[in-house]
Amino acid sequence: MASVETAAEHERILREIESTDTNCIGPTLRSVYDGQEHGLFMEKLDVRIRNHDREIEKMCNHHFQGFVDSITELLKVRGEAQKLKSQVIETNNRLQDDGKELIGSMEELKRCRVQQRNIATTIDKLTHCLPVLEMYSRLQEQMKAKRYYPALRTLEQLEQTCLPRAGQYRFCSIMAENIPKLRTQIRDTAMTQLRDFLESIRKHSDKIGETAIKQAQVQRSLDSSISTQPRALIGRRSRKEVSATPGVGTERDVHFGSPVSQQDSGIRDVEDDEEDEEVPGAQDLVDFSPVYRCLHIYTVLGLRDTFENYYRKQRRKQARLVLQPHSNMHETLEGYRRYFNQIVGFFVVEDHVLHTTQGLVNRAYVEELWELALSKIVAALRTHSVRFNTHLDNFSPIPVSTEQQYRHYTSQFPLQDPELEKLPFPKKFPFSEFVPKVYCQIKEFIYACLKYSEDLHLSSTEVDDMIRKSTNLLLTRTLSHCLQYAIKKKNVGLAELVQVIINTTHLEQSCHFLEEFISNITNVPPDTVNATKLYGTSTFKDARHAAEAEIYTNLNAKIDQFLQLADYNWLAAEQRVGTPLTASDYLIDLIAFLNSTFAVFTNLPGKVAQTACMSTCKHISTSLMQLLIDPEIRQISMGALQQLSADVKECESFARAGPVAGFQGDTLLLAFSDLRQLLDLFTQWDWSTYLADYGKPTCRYLRVNPNTALALLEKMKEMSRKNNVFNFRKMDRDKQKLIDTVIKQLRNLIAGLR
């Protein structure tokens, strides 16, 4: 039983070996060797091998003849193959020779096809690029021709259509970068032209207004004959208005290339049109193209609101300038005519812009400006309806030789001066012709205001208030300006300034008479609640103070002119004690001028004359002190200080003489006390007293500043040092040592004060 199983196992193993890949028979063989019957297995294996060998031999015998026949056939085929190979090689060679020309033609064809493709590509790209270049060239031409609105449209088309189609090229990038700059340039240029236009119409508004007024007069004269021959004239004018009045909706509306618009003057030359009898209108006289052009451009840029605000703001400023009357408007009728012409010209332009643009200005804006104009015009007419011609005044007291002349002036001006009444004839009023003329003109103005109010249906209180406010405007604006002009004009003399002060003093005193006059003609008591007070007092006070300041300034300027003539010898030799010294010539002339000047001040209010006199003395003292400490003067001798002391003595004599009444004691001498104490300290060489008593209230040289004294001593030291270079006298050496000692003590004193 075991042998049967073993034989079956061996058979299975053999079948497995025959049917299994040799790489996988390892486990099968291992199972044989692991068993005990491997010898028997080997025998069976040999038997199986011999069986297979017999089958192989049988198969080979069966196919041998076929194999031999195949080999024989193969040998025959080899020869034919050699022939075929030779023929193939020969055919190939002929084909290669014949194909070289074809290959060359094909290569040429290939190159042509590539070129054709490149050309097609290039044409396609150029088709997109050429419009860009053409449009950019057109843009440059438009910019050069100053046709900015078409240029802006070209920019928009270039940016939104042409450049995106052209692709990414360097020149496209450069163009794209330049587009914002060109827009800015167009915007700025348009704004510049608008500014030129605004400036031009501001300058020529009077001409525009004059033309508009003439046109209105012509139209009024034609109204009577409107039924006979109006149509030809109106038709002709209408055609001109249609051709000259631009809108803002089409390209035709803005003529960018016209010579007038290139000049940007804003005003057309209408002399060639004088053959027509009609008066040109605003559209004929003014070239509005800068306004329309700028409006178009800012609209395209999306900045219309900015442009509208700017235009309105600038025109409001110009309106204020136009409505501000000139200072000399009231002097001539032509001044009033020009004032009204400017206002009319301004509103003619605004009305034209209102009707030819869509919203640049609106009716409310024009009405607002008109209300402003009305208030300004009324105020100007009220203020400038009186003329104060200060330049016609001789600035001299009014002489009267008879009682009739005296009563004539007292009837014009309410003078109350009992002392002047008692004086015999001939005598003089203290004021000039300006005072009664101004007083009468103010009364005439008040009468005119009363006459003006008759048709206004106002109550007495309202009339009184209106007259007082108008009179205040007259006093605070017109009269005040005239007085300031008289005070500030060139070459005004001290006598004229003194007369201005006297005049304003009397006018100020007359203000309460004007108050009473207004109350009498309006029947409104002056003490009524909320009644407006006249500002005349403050107006005349301001003018008087300005004249006083001008007097002080002119006096100081005249003193400076005299001081420029000073020619001190700063190296003069020291004079012996007791030797008399006379004052310098320039100072004697200055004192004579001051005496004659202050003699004119007798009619001035006391405080004004005293202030002028004290200011003069202080200015002289300060100027002489500045001469001493001038850094350009490096050396000063004792002789120079002695001469300066003599000049100060002359000034002190002038102060003691009392050129102006009202000073108590030696008050005027105090102006020279600083200079006097400094000069006494040096000329008397009293340094021991100065150094010992410095800082004490009883010090004799209380006003001497140690820094000033030190600076002056340094100059004397420099003078002494140069003089003693080759001087061996003991006295001079001792003097030099003394100066050095005082300088050292002064420096110690100054250091102790810090």
Side-chain angles (χ1 to χ4, degrees), residues 41 229 306 310 344 404 407 442 459 492-493 524 632 711 721:
F41 176 76
Q229 45 179 341
T306 302
Y310 176 82
V344 172
Q404 183 180 1
R407 295 306 170 194
I442 294 175
S459 65
V492 61
V524 176
E632 294 185 0
R721 183 183 64 81

Side-chain angles (χ1 to χ4, degrees), residues 489-555:
K489 69 179 181 180
K490 293 183 179 180
N491 302 323
V492 61
L494 290 172
E496 288 85 346
L497 292 172
V498 170
Q499 192 61 56
V500 169
I501 293 176
I502 296 172
N503 289 347
T504 52
T505 301
H506 283 83
L507 286 172
E508 180 184 352
Q509 294 170 356
S510 69
C511 284
H512 70 279
F513 293 105
L514 291 175
E515 294 264 9
E516 294 176 359
F517 176 71
I518 294 174
S519 297
N520 291 335
I521 65 174
T522 59
N523 295 321
V524 176
D527 55 352
T528 303
V529 179
N530 299 326
T532 303
K533 301 298 181 183
L534 291 184
Y535 299 151
T537 302
S538 60
T539 298
F540 298 127
K541 279 184 179 179
D542 293 342
R544 184 168 64 253
H545 292 159
E548 292 171 5
E550 199 69 19
I551 286 177
Y552 306 149
T553 302
N554 287 2
L555 269 177

Side-chain angles (χ1 to χ4, degrees), residues 60 110 132 145 300 312 350 392 417 450 509 517 553 567 595:
C60 287
K110 179 182 178 181
V132 175
V300 172
R312 295 184 184 185
E350 288 306 288
L392 299 180
D417 191 346
L450 181 64
Q509 294 170 356
F517 176 71
T553 302
D567 187 18
N595 283 323

Side-chain angles (χ1 to χ4, degrees), residues 394-419:
N394 58 7
F395 293 99
S396 300
I398 303 174
V400 290
S401 56
T402 64
E403 182 71 23
Q404 183 180 1
Q405 291 179 339
Y406 184 84
R407 295 306 170 194
H408 169 72
Y409 285 108
T410 54
S411 65
Q412 292 181 343
F413 182 76
L415 176 67
Q416 296 178 346
D417 191 346
E419 295 183 1

Side-chain angles (χ1 to χ4, degrees), residues 474-488:
L474 177 73
L475 295 174
T476 57
R477 291 186 182 179
T478 306
L479 181 56
S480 176
H481 173 79
C482 293
L483 291 172
Q484 292 296 331
Y485 173 78
I487 294 169
K488 298 294 183 179

Side-chain angles (χ1 to χ4, degrees), residues 286-444:
V286 182
D287 176 23
F288 288 91
S289 61
V291 179
Y292 306 133
R293 181 186 308 122
C294 201
L295 177 60
H296 273 75
I297 289 172
Y298 270 72
T299 301
V300 172
L301 293 175
L303 300 173
R304 182 186 175 99
D305 291 342
T306 302
F307 174 74
E308 289 180 0
N309 293 334
Y310 176 82
Y311 178 84
R312 295 184 184 185
K313 181 179 179 181
Q314 294 302 314
R315 289 297 281 167
R316 281 193 181 96
K317 289 182 180 179
Q318 291 187 354
R320 294 188 182 96
L321 292 176
V322 167
L323 295 171
Q324 182 65 36
H326 295 285
S327 58
N328 58 349
M329 180 189 76
H330 60 281
E331 295 181 0
T332 62
L333 185 60
E334 182 61 30
Y336 283 98
R337 182 180 292 110
R338 186 181 180 190
Y339 177 64
F340 287 115
N341 285 343
Q342 287 178 339
I343 296 174
V344 172
F346 177 87
F347 282 100
V348 164
V349 171
E350 288 306 288
D351 182 72
H352 187 79
V353 172
L354 172 66
H355 288 90
T356 57
T357 59
Q358 298 175 355
L360 179 57
V361 297
N362 52 33
R363 180 63 63 183
Y365 161 81
V366 176
E367 292 293 339
E368 176 190 349
L369 291 181
W370 181 244
E371 291 297 327
L372 173 65
L374 284 179
S375 62
K376 293 287 185 180
I377 292 171
V378 171
L381 291 179
R382 287 177 178 175
T383 303
H384 290 277
S385 59
V386 178
R387 301 179 182 180
F388 300 109
N389 293 326
T390 57
H391 60 281
L392 299 180
D393 191 36
N394 58 7
F395 293 99
S396 300
I398 303 174
V400 290
S401 56
T402 64
E403 182 71 23
Q404 183 180 1
Q405 291 179 339
Y406 184 84
R407 295 306 170 194
H408 169 72
Y409 285 108
T410 54
S411 65
Q412 292 181 343
F413 182 76
L415 176 67
Q416 296 178 346
D417 191 346
E419 295 183 1
L420 184 63
E421 289 269 0
K422 297 176 184 178
L423 291 177
F425 293 100
K427 53 187 175 181
K428 293 182 179 181
F429 286 102
F431 46 78
S432 67
E433 293 277 359
F434 177 75
V435 171
K437 286 183 179 179
V438 166
Y439 189 82
C440 290
Q441 287 177 337
I442 294 175
K443 290 177 66 176
E444 290 174 2

Side-chain angles (χ1 to χ4, degrees), residues 4 15 27 30 33 41 54 65 84 109 122 156 181 250 287-288 306 318 321 325 364 367-368 374 397 548 554 641:
V4 175
R15 285 196 304 272
R30 178 176 295 278
Y33 283 96
F41 176 76
R54 284 194 297 271
Q65 187 60 42
L84 181 61
L109 178 61
T122 303
E156 184 178 0
K181 298 177 183 177
T250 65
D287 176 23
F288 288 91
T306 302
Q318 291 187 354
L321 292 176
E367 292 293 339
E368 176 190 349
L374 284 179
E548 292 171 5
N554 287 2
L641 295 179

